[in-house]
């Protein structure tokens, strides 16, 4: 069965510190993986996707098929990064999305 | 810009009422989704539609039904609302294609439903 886990419910870091939000998945085929972000009172929006290998707002994520992980990283956290972050997997066969439980990132001044 | 619009931002309904949540997308997407968002549980899929009049149950379909009569519109129906259906409901749409660039889901602003 497809599953996405995010072990941390809450992650607090100081401004300027590195941050890593963990994501692990279980999927039998080749997954498409995404990170979504939800800022306070805003809609859920895409942050980045593994297929494009891009850096958005200083965040990067590398798909590690051996460890079935897709951790989100940023070298220097900013206060405006405080938000809820969800890791998601797209099932290429059924085309629905499976989301993790989310990690709330709090960047302290 | 993709627009996914949910008809209401906030709703308060009484136990036993029939509730309709409406969602419209303007990107000609084949797929549409209804999720329920609860703290600590993330997003859980209620129903999924991959074409007009087609639907598939998600992880938590009990107490819900859906309707997709037109490609751009996907409705979630609570047949008889109960207090445990108090939640944030998110609609999303996405392409039905694979191996293209923009395969992500696009979300509406959410409907906060309170059942009293």
């Amino acid at each position: 069965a497809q599953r996405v886990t995010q072990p941390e419910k809450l992650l607090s870091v100081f401004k300027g510190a590195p941050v890593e939000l963990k994501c692990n998945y279980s999927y039998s085929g080749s997954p498409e993986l995404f990170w979504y972000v939800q800022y306070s009172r805003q809609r859920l929006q895409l942050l980045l996707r593994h297929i494009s290998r891009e850096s958005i707002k200083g965040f990067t994520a590398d798909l590690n098929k051996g460890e079935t992980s897709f951790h989100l990283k940023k070298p220097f956290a900013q206060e405006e990064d405080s938000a809820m972050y969800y890791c998601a997997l797209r099932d290429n066969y059924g085309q629905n999305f499976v989301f993790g439980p989310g990690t709330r990132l709090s960047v302290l001044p | 810009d993709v627009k996914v619009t949910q008809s209401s931002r906030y709703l308060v309904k009484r136990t036993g009422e029939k509730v309709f949540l409406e969602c419209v997308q303007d990107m000609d997407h084949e797929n549409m989704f209804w999720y329920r968002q609860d703290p600590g549980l993330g997003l859980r899929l209620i129903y999924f539609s991959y074409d007009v009049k087609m639907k598939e149950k998600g992880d938590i379909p009990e107490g819900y039904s859906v309707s997709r009569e037109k490609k751009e519109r996907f409705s979630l129906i609570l047949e008889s609302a109960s207090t445990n259906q108090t939640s944030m409901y998110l609609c999303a749409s996405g392409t039905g294609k694979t191996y293209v660039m923009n395969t992500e889901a696009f979300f509406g602003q959410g409907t906060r439903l309170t059942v009293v």
Side-chain angles (χ1 to χ4, degrees):
Chain A
Q2 308 140 32
R3 194 173 174 213
V4 177
T5 57
Q6 294 177 250
E8 302 124 338
K9 284 188 178 179
L10 174 65
L11 185 62
S12 295
V13 300
F14 286 102
K15 177 182 171 182
V19 62
E20 182 179 46
L21 287 79
K22 290 184 167 53
C23 171
N24 287 89
Y25 65 91
S26 60
Y27 184 65
S28 56
S30 290
E32 286 188 77
L33 284 154
F34 306 87
W35 276 99
Y36 280 82
V37 61
Q38 190 170 33
Y39 301 104
S40 179
R41 298 181 182 276
Q42 294 188 26
R43 70 179 67 196
L44 199 59
Q45 58 187 279
L46 178 71
L47 180 61
L48 52 78
R49 69 194 104 201
H50 91 269
I51 198 168
S52 55
R53 295 179 164 272
E54 56 203 342
S55 173
I56 303 291
K57 300 185 179 182
F59 285 99
T60 59
D62 290 319
L63 177 60
N64 185 324
K65 291 186 178 180
E67 295 183 358
T68 59
S69 68
F70 188 54
H71 302 327
L72 183 69
K73 299 176 184 179
K74 185 169 182 177
F76 307 104
Q78 302 299 315
E79 289 182 69
E80 55 265 30
D81 296 328
S82 295
M84 195 75 181
Y85 291 81
Y86 293 95
C87 183
L89 175 155
R90 183 184 190 231
D91 173 356
N92 283 332
Y93 178 71
Q95 298 178 4
N96 61 343
F97 290 81
V98 178
F99 284 81
T103 297
R104 181 167 296 284
L105 175 64
S106 178
V107 181
L108 307 171
Chain B
D1 235 16
V2 175
K3 289 275 170 42
V4 180
T5 305
Q6 294 181 229
S7 54
S8 304
R9 194 72 192 265
Y10 300 96
L11 275 180
V12 180
K13 297 291 181 181
R14 295 193 182 280
T15 301
E17 276 194 80
K18 191 168 185 176
V19 181
F20 294 85
L21 302 182
E22 308 284 346
C23 176
V24 177
Q25 53 99 359
D26 66 358
M27 274 298 286
D28 201 35
H29 282 156
E30 296 84 2
N31 298 341
M32 295 189 75
F33 312 85
W34 275 106
Y35 289 91
R36 177 176 164 158
Q37 183 182 32
D38 298 289
L41 297 176
L43 277 69
R44 293 179 291 167
L45 183 66
I46 304 172
Y47 267 98
F48 160 49
S49 170
Y50 55 91
D51 202 350
V52 174
K53 297 190 186 295
M54 306 304 286
K55 62 185 179 185
E56 284 195 13
K57 291 181 180 180
D59 300 318
I60 51 165
E62 297 78 19
Y64 304 95
S65 62
V66 290
S67 172
R68 193 163 180 206
E69 297 295 319
K70 293 185 177 182
K71 191 175 185 181
E72 67 270 19
R73 188 179 296 270
F74 193 34
S75 303
L76 179 69
I77 304 151
L78 285 67
E79 298 291 344
S80 177
S82 64
T83 54
N84 62 13
Q85 292 178 309
T86 291
S87 186
M88 174 69 87
Y89 290 87
L90 300 181
C91 175
S93 73
T95 181
K97 302 176 179 63
T98 54
Y99 307 111
V100 296
M101 193 58 192
N102 298 337
T103 55
E104 70 268 27
F106 295 85
F107 282 85
Q109 77 277 25
T111 297
R112 167 94 39 207
L113 173 67
T114 302
V115 183
V116 298

